[in-house]
Structures are given as structure tokens and as C-alpha cells.
Amino acid sequence: MRVLLIEDEPKLGRSIKKGLEEHQIEVDFAENGLVGKRLSQSNGYSVIVSDIILPGMNGIDLTRQIRHEGNRTPVLLLTALGQTDDKVAGFDAGADDYLTKPFEFRELLVRIQALARRPVDTYQALPELRFADTVMDLQTHEFVRAGRKIALTPKEFALMEYFLRNPLRVISKQEISEKVWNLDFDTGTNVIEVYVNFLRKKVDKDFDTKLIHTQFKNGYFLREG
Amino acid sequence: MRVLLIEDEPKLGRSIKKGLEEHQIEVDFAENGLVGKRLSQSNGYSVIVSDIILPGMNGIDLTRQIRHEGNRTPVLLLTALGQTDDKVAGFDAGADDYLTKPFEFRELLVRIQALARRPVDTYQALPELRFADTVMDLQTHEFVRAGRKIALTPKEFALMEYFLRNPLRVISKQEISEKVWNLDFDTGTNVIEVYVNFLRKKVDKDFDTKLIHTQFKNGYFLREG
DNA sequence: CATTTTTTTAAAAACTGCTTAAAAAAACCG
DNA sequence: CGGTTTTTTTAAGCAGTTTTTAAAAAAATG
């Protein structure tokens, strides 16, 4: 099991991380909200544990944003004593559980395990992905940028979906080849370049801020501007 | 017994789900009205329990819509204290019972079991399906668009009925093959295309706004225009 | 500036869905 | 029953779209 821990107090963070690792739980540890958010997008975590009060971005906004991106990973928020408003706001934002500081480590462990056990509720998943001013409806296969509907062919849609599911991360052609085309070997083709070009024409060409960027030698990544 | 639970407050929802499951009741849990409605169409539930205040679509509209689609599954609505208007509106829409929050879990359980025990025939199912300017009478097998009666053969009727029971959703040929033709394997035929063509000639050809749309590679869906 | 990598363009190939026509099966009816 | 009509299924060709290939042009790197 992998857990993302976002906690700005180094001492508490390290101690939680150590405790979890003793129970065979892999832990990625971020000390501020922005880094935490980026990590949450890329890697497959079973649970995200986040303090509410954080530099960069607080735990509630973080929860709201990752939910907005279609990420349904269970979120457990750590709140200071008696912050009932925070609790409510946290649940509103899409958090799944909370724990009031100070807490016993045993209780945190039990709650994390409970959240991880929860079946990934495929129904509850928001059937859309968002990034910048784009919305992708996974149900109707509609794709919209800045209110304008853009028709994508199935392959274009699949590629764009992969980008949207991995924003702000450099994605190698190798990876696209495997994940979008299901090719396990190099066919010495340039389909990917061609399709990135197709997407750029449809998604970026008529707009000022480009979303699809190239990192020479390494791959492509999604970013605003 | 299977119950569909639609509740946007995660904590309450989870606790109800847990409680019911301890009594050997299977629970599908949706956190918003739209997802709940979609689930209500597909799966065979004994009872639907829905909060009234929901994101996406409120419990009363949800009840009205599923009744409109001919679904007569008993519906129990959860209302906040003293919302008498809601109660009335809920019953009007076709709900079968309500429960005022806060409530004891034991009472909810008893009411669900009571609804599930009720013989199906006591609910007066609306014997028609409607979409846009069409009405399908399931009793007489009449189909009308814009006041004009359209004669459909049995298979055409069955296919159109399936479309009407799943509006605004993309339906794959695979699914049609299973649900309308009862084929569990691919017979490598094009009957479905042929029948969609039949329907289009009868249902869409003489009208400006088309109802039956194709989504390349994915299937068909019903939508106005 | 030479080399490598990426982008662009164009055209071929493959595929999907639509249409039409005819055959097969089922329902109807005197 | 036997013939007729209606409904359902099969088959084949076509039209349009999508995907892939290939090669030239452009851009980036050191």
C-alpha cells in the first residue's frame, strides 16, 4: 500500500512516516500543499493523509482541487482540536475522514487501513476530467475548451485523456506507446508525434495559452502556458 | 436484497451503508443525484433510499424522473426536520415513504424492509416512456412522435424502448446485442446497424431534430438534436 | 554547423457504419 | 394447411472517417 502524507511539521511528519513504514506501508512525504498536490496527481496512492494547515495550499483546498480533477483517492485530514468548521468544510470539499490532533498513532493506522479497504467506488467517480479551461466528459466523450466544443476522434480522445490524467508530469513516448496504444515494443513509427500534432491543432492552435508542451528528448507534458 | 442509497453527506452515507450491510443488505452508494439516477436505471434494486437535498439532482426530481421511466422501485426519501412541503412534493412525485432526519438507524432498517416486502403490484407503474416529443405506451405498444403515430415492429419497439430507458447515455452495440437481442457472443452480424437504420427512417427521417445519434466506435445515444 | 529530434504535410491503408437488396423465418389468414 | 404478407436476418458494396506510414521541413542541441 502507498500513502501520500502531507504535513509541514517535520518532526510529526517523520514520526508518522516511520510508524507507517513499520507496518509495511510505503509513504511519500510532502512538506507543503503544492508539492503534495503535484504528487497526488501522478502516483497511485491508496490514501492521502494531509494536515489542514499547510504552507502553499491548505488541506481543504487541496482536497477540493484533486476531487475536481476526478481523483477519488480517499483523503484523511488532520485537524487541530475543536475546529468543527474545518471538519465540515473538509467533508464538503470531498474528504473521507478526519482525525483531531493530538491523536494516537494506532488510531491513524486503523483509519488509513479502513479507507484503503474501501472498494474504489467506480460509480462515485466524477465522470469528467478537468484541466485549465478544459473539461473532458468520459461518459459522452465530449471535450470542451473555454466553452467551445472540440470533436476528438477515439484515438485523439484516448491520448488527451492520458494527458489529463497525468497533468504537470513529463510523459515519455515510451509510456504513451504502452498506455495509449498498448504497444509493448518499439515499432519505429511516429504515430505519437502525429497524434500530438493532431491534438495541438484542435486543442491549442486557436488559443493563446498552449497546454501541450514538449520536453526535448524526454516527452510531453500538460501545463498552462 | 439490494438497496440503492443516494446521499451526499459521506459520513452519513457510509454509516447507513455499513449498518445495512450488517443486516445482509447489499448497498450501492451514490453521492449525487445524477449518478444515483443512472444507477437506478441499470440495476435491480428492491428499494431506493435517497436524500432530498443532493448535488446534481434532488431526490424529488429524481423520484419523478425514474417513475416517468416506468421504474416502480419503492423510494424512501430522507428529509430534514419539518420540511412538510418536501414531503408532499415527494409523495406527489411518486415516493413511497419518507424519514425525517435525524433518525434512528433501526427505524430506517424497518422501513426499508417493509417497502421491500410490499408486493410489486401495489404501485401503479406509469405504463409509458417519454423522451423529447415522443411517447411510448408499453401497454398498447403504441409509439407517437409529435402527435403522429408511428408503427414499429416488435424488434424495432424493443430497441427503441431500450434507447428510451437509457437516454443521454452512450449505449454500445455490445450492450444492445446483450440486452435487446439476448446474444452473449459476437455473431459478426450487422443486425443492429440495420435496425438503427429502420428506426431512423421511421422516427427521425421526417423530423428536423434527430433523436438517435451515433458515437463513432462507441455506440448510439438518444439526445434532442 | 552538423546531428539529432521533433513537427508538419500528404497520401495510403484500414476500418466503421450506412444503405440497399435479397434471402430466410415467422406470423397471418382464408 | 398452403399461400401470402410481414418481420427478421444476412450479405455486399460504398462512403466517409480514422489511423498509420512515409518523407520533407523545421527546430533544438552541443
Side-chain angles (χ1 to χ4, degrees):
Chain A
M1 186 194 340
R2 289 166 61 79
V3 166
L4 172 59
L5 172 64
I6 310 166
E7 168 62 60
D8 65 317
E9 210 182 302
K11 207 176 154 194
L12 177 60
R14 278 203 306 277
S15 114
I16 293 176
K17 178 171 166 143
K18 189 155 159 270
L20 292 175
E21 282 171 346
E22 281 169 9
H23 287 82
Q24 283 72 51
I25 296 174
E26 290 176 64
V27 179
D28 283 359
F29 181 22
E31 297 198 11
N32 78 65
L34 291 170
V35 173
K37 170 139 181 294
R38 195 156 57 248
L39 282 174
S40 77
Q41 290 167 331
S42 41
N43 307 8
Y45 296 106
S46 305
V47 179
I48 296 170
V49 178
S50 174
D51 201 350
I52 285 193
I53 296 155
L54 284 173
M57 176 190 305
N58 77 54
I60 291 169
D61 287 340
L62 182 139
T63 305
R64 185 176 298 112
Q65 290 197 20
I66 70 170
R67 287 284 179 263
H68 213 59
E69 289 163 7
N71 187 335
R72 301 287 314 169
T73 311
V75 170
L76 189 159
L77 294 176
L78 303 177
T79 84
L81 192 64
Q83 311 273 33
T84 314
D85 285 353
D86 276 357
K87 270 189 230 166
V88 173
F91 278 121
D92 270 356
D96 299 88
D97 200 359
Y98 64 89
L99 196 51
T100 306
K101 295 199 267 192
F103 54 84
E104 269 192 58
F105 176 75
R106 257 187 335 125
E107 185 174 0
L108 175 65
L109 179 63
V110 168
R111 284 179 184 275
I112 287 175
Q113 287 170 336
L115 288 174
R117 228 179 292 119
R118 246 169 68 173
V120 179
D121 240 312
T122 47
Y123 312 131
Q124 294 178 32
L126 296 175
E128 56 179 43
L129 299 174
R130 286 165 183 272
F131 182 81
D133 55 353
T134 69
V135 187
M136 167 174 277
D137 188 319
L138 297 170
Q139 205 116 71
T140 63
H141 277 221
E142 271 187 359
F143 181 74
V144 174
R145 177 160 189 193
R148 242 188 288 170
K149 193 175 154 184
I150 296 171
L152 298 180
T153 73
K155 265 276 146 59
E156 290 168 353
F157 190 90
L159 177 58
M160 193 67 207
E161 178 180 350
Y162 197 74
F163 279 132
L164 290 170
R165 285 192 189 278
N166 298 279
L168 305 175
R169 180 169 78 82
V170 176
I171 302 161
S172 71
K173 287 178 201 166
Q174 173 63 27
E175 187 181 342
I176 294 174
S177 182
E178 284 171 13
K179 297 298 177 56
V180 182
W181 267 263
N182 289 316
L183 299 173
D184 296 328
F185 46 91
D186 185 15
T187 55
T189 167
N190 69 336
V191 228
I192 295 169
E193 280 99 332
V194 171
Y195 264 84
V196 167
N197 188 232
F198 286 163
L199 278 185
R200 281 180 169 146
K201 278 195 215 153
K202 291 189 177 181
V203 176
D204 275 344
K205 188 162 199 176
D206 303 335
F207 296 87
D208 253 10
T209 51
K210 311 299 181 191
L211 301 180
I212 302 168
H213 301 264
T214 305
Q215 187 169 93
F216 197 81
K217 274 271 221 175
N218 294 315
Y220 299 97
F221 62 97
L222 227 55
R223 187 182 63 195
E224 281 192 81
Chain B
M1 184 192 343
R2 288 165 61 78
V3 165
L4 171 59
L5 172 64
I6 309 166
E7 167 62 58
D8 66 316
E9 209 182 303
K11 207 177 157 192
L12 177 60
R14 278 205 305 279
S15 113
I16 294 176
K17 178 170 167 148
K18 188 155 159 270
L20 292 175
E21 282 171 345
E22 280 168 8
H23 288 81
Q24 283 72 50
I25 295 173
E26 289 176 65
V27 178
D28 282 358
F29 180 22
E31 296 195 14
N32 78 65
L34 292 169
V35 174
K37 169 135 182 296
R38 197 157 57 246
L39 282 175
S40 78
Q41 292 168 331
S42 42
N43 307 7
Y45 298 105
S46 305
V47 179
I48 296 170
V49 177
S50 174
D51 201 349
I52 285 193
I53 296 155
L54 284 174
M57 177 192 304
N58 77 54
I60 291 169
D61 287 340
L62 183 139
T63 306
R64 185 175 299 112
Q65 290 198 21
I66 70 171
R67 287 284 180 263
H68 214 60
E69 289 164 7
N71 186 335
R72 45 170 97 177
T73 311
V75 170
L76 188 160
L77 293 177
L78 304 176
T79 83
L81 193 64
Q83 310 275 34
T84 314
D85 285 353
D86 276 356
K87 270 190 231 165
V88 173
F91 278 121
D92 270 356
D96 300 88
D97 199 0
Y98 65 89
L99 195 52
T100 305
K101 294 200 267 192
F103 53 83
E104 270 193 58
F105 176 75
R106 260 186 332 125
E107 186 175 358
L108 175 65
L109 179 63
V110 168
R111 285 177 184 275
I112 287 176
Q113 288 169 336
L115 288 174
R117 232 178 289 119
R118 248 162 75 170
V120 175
D121 273 358
T122 51
Y123 330 113
Q124 259 348 297
L126 296 175
E128 55 180 42
L129 300 174
R130 285 164 184 273
F131 183 81
D133 56 352
T134 70
V135 187
M136 168 174 276
D137 189 318
L138 297 169
Q139 306 237 278
T140 64
H141 275 223
E142 269 188 0
F143 181 73
V144 174
R145 176 160 188 192
R148 243 188 287 170
K149 194 175 153 185
I150 296 171
L152 298 179
T153 73
K155 266 276 146 59
E156 289 168 354
F157 191 88
L159 177 57
M160 193 66 207
E161 179 180 348
Y162 197 74
F163 279 133
L164 290 169
R165 284 192 190 277
N166 298 280
L168 305 176
R169 180 169 78 81
V170 176
I171 302 161
S172 71
K173 287 178 202 166
Q174 173 65 26
E175 186 181 340
I176 295 174
S177 181
E178 284 171 14
K179 297 298 176 58
V180 182
W181 267 263
N182 289 316
L183 299 173
D184 296 327
F185 46 91
D186 184 15
T187 55
T189 167
N190 70 335
V191 228
I192 295 169
E193 276 108 328
V194 172
Y195 264 84
V196 167
N197 190 231
F198 287 163
L199 277 185
R200 280 181 169 147
K201 279 194 213 154
K202 292 189 176 181
V203 176
D204 274 344
K205 189 162 198 175
D206 303 335
F207 296 87
D208 252 11
T209 51
K210 311 300 181 191
L211 301 181
I212 303 168
H213 301 264
T214 305
Q215 184 168 98
F216 196 83
K217 272 274 231 173
N218 294 314
Y220 299 98
F221 63 98
L222 227 56
R223 188 180 62 195
E224 284 192 79

